[in-house]
Structures are given as C-alpha cells and as structure tokens.
Amino acid sequence: TRRILHCHSTFSLGGKEARAVRLMNAFGDAAEHTILSAVPDQMGARDAIDPAIAVHFPTDAPSLQGKPGPGRYRTLADYMRGFDLVLSYNWGSMDVVGARRMFPAGCPPLIHHEDGFNADEADQLNWKRNLFRRMMLPTAEALVVPSERLEGIARTIWHQPKDRLHRIPNGIDTARYAVPPEAGAIPGLTRQDGDVIIGTLAGLRAVKNLPRLVRAVAALPAHVKLVI
C-alpha cells in the first residue's frame, strides 16, 4: 500500500477537491491517504470520501501556512519523507513545493496541480507568486493543469518545460446524463413545452461572476429559464 500525502489550499468541496476524492475512491485499498489543508477548518470534501478508504487528517502535522524560511521548510521536508508520493494543489500549498526544492534529499516525488485563481488574481497575476513558482517548481516531478490557458501560463510565465507539464482536462461522465432526470430533482423548477433551460454548477463566489450570467439570461425571451 502506497502512502500519499495530499496538500490542499482548502479541502472544501470544490472542483479540485471533488476530483481528488474521486481518484482516492478509485484507488481503493492500493493507497493510504493523508490530507492537509492550509485552511484547517475547511474540510467539507471529507464527507465525499468512501468510508472504506484509509485516510487520515492529522492535527499534529506542520502547518501549510506561515512565512517561508529554511527552518519551516526543513520541518515540512522531514514530514514529507514519511510518504511515497506528495500531491500539492494550488497556491496555498506552494510552501510544500518550496520545501521539496530546498531540501530534496530523501523526499518522495511531488506532483503539483494548478486549477485556477481566486478573486485576488482574477484580473492580473501576482508577480511575486509568479516568481516564487519559477523558483520552486523545478524539483517537482510534474505540474498538472486542466486548461489550455493555464498550460500557456505555465509555459510562458512560470517557465515550465514541456516534458514536465501535463494538461489533463476535467472529464465529465456523460453516461450519467444519458437517462431522463428524476422528477422533482430541482425543487421549484417546472418545465413547460418549449422551455429552454440554461444551467450552471458553480461555487457562489465572486470570481465565478454569476451576476453576468443572470444579466445575460434576463435579456432573453421568457421561455428561457436559468438554474444555478
């Protein structure tokens, strides 16, 4: 059984967390997982993990938050050495990547994932974070991104080599949607003949800009309905 350390910016149930949980469930008893969150009280994705999966949420692990520095990074590197693989996710876990860069001896392979940006970088990327990524990512085994735009940023701004950069698009299990929907699946939604339903599934966060979608649908004819 392989021991995998997951280092998340948060572990609330968003896109990257849902994907990580699906993979954990798929691994079954082939792996044992330890999950750290830079925001320890955001653990909403925990409930989606199959009860049969061996998973730990330690309270005595080094914090993913704090000022970068050799002492703190050495502590993180020492902790990583107890695992076979480290998976880090988004900016909130970059100190783990930094620790792996500064103290690589004996550390397991690390794969870093970048899934997008929050509101603080919605309009413009933070140059300090860009520089930090350039400095710390060279000892990562791989960098995984889900989109062509992030792939372009990784190549041109973070200067990541092509052979270490992997674009893996988020997949949709289309077979799940090949059957008629359950009656009453969306409370309050009634569908009449001729209705066009536009739906979106997203976190209710400013960076998703859902008001723009509301304004766009509001300008359409009355038979077009929006479900968020």
Side-chain angles (χ1 to χ4, degrees):
T1 300
R2 298 296 184 179
R3 299 189 65 201
I4 301 177
L5 175 64
H6 301 256
C7 301
H8 284 268
S9 48
T10 78
F11 200 58
S12 56
L13 191 56
K16 71 176 178 64
E17 295 83 9
R19 182 187 66 226
V21 167
R22 286 196 299 270
L23 289 171
M24 290 168 59
N25 291 343
F27 292 158
D29 59 6
E32 181 178 314
H33 307 271
T34 296
I35 295 176
L36 306 182
S37 171
V39 187
D41 61 346
Q42 294 192 13
M43 287 286 185
R46 183 173 185 168
D47 294 337
I49 300 173
D50 189 320
I53 300 299
V55 58
H56 310 283
F57 296 86
T59 57
D60 57 349
S63 174
L64 299 184
Q65 292 193 69
K67 188 176 181 180
R72 183 165 162 265
Y73 279 10
R74 187 185 297 276
T75 300
L76 284 167
D78 288 343
Y79 187 78
M80 280 189 276
R81 292 186 182 104
F83 298 88
D84 300 300
L85 175 67
V86 178
L87 302 176
S88 54
Y89 306 83
N90 285 359
W91 172 253
S93 69
M94 276 301 296
D95 279 340
V96 174
V97 183
R100 177 70 173 73
R101 169 73 156 144
M102 292 183 65
F103 302 101
C107 282
L110 181 147
I111 299 175
H112 186 64
H113 306 72
E114 286 284 349
D115 281 83
F117 308 98
N118 286 325
D120 56 355
E121 290 188 275
D123 297 321
Q124 185 175 0
L125 296 182
N126 184 309
W127 69 269
K128 293 181 180 179
R129 294 182 181 183
N130 288 335
L131 180 60
F132 193 85
R133 287 185 176 99
R134 288 181 210 164
M135 293 171 56
M136 298 307 179
L137 282 169
T139 54
E141 188 77 12
L143 172 63
V144 178
V145 297
S147 70
E148 292 182 358
R149 184 179 182 189
L150 275 168
E151 184 180 28
I153 289 172
R155 288 290 305 278
T156 60
I157 298 179
W158 302 338
H159 299 171
Q160 296 305 295
K162 186 176 181 179
D163 62 345
R164 208 165 62 235
L165 179 60
H166 303 272
R167 177 170 59 86
I168 305 176
N170 289 319
I172 297 175
D173 184 4
T174 55
R176 294 181 62 185
Y177 304 95
V179 297
E182 295 180 10
I186 302 177
L189 175 65
T190 58
R191 184 167 194 159
Q192 309 296 328
D193 290 342
D195 279 352
V196 174
I197 309 296
I198 297 175
T200 185
L201 179 64
L204 302 182
R205 295 183 288 129
V207 71
K208 300 298 184 181
N209 202 2
L210 293 173
R212 180 169 61 185
L213 178 60
V214 173
R215 291 193 299 271
V217 175
L220 299 176
H223 71 284
V224 180
K225 297 179 178 179
L226 173 64
V227 176
I228 297 179

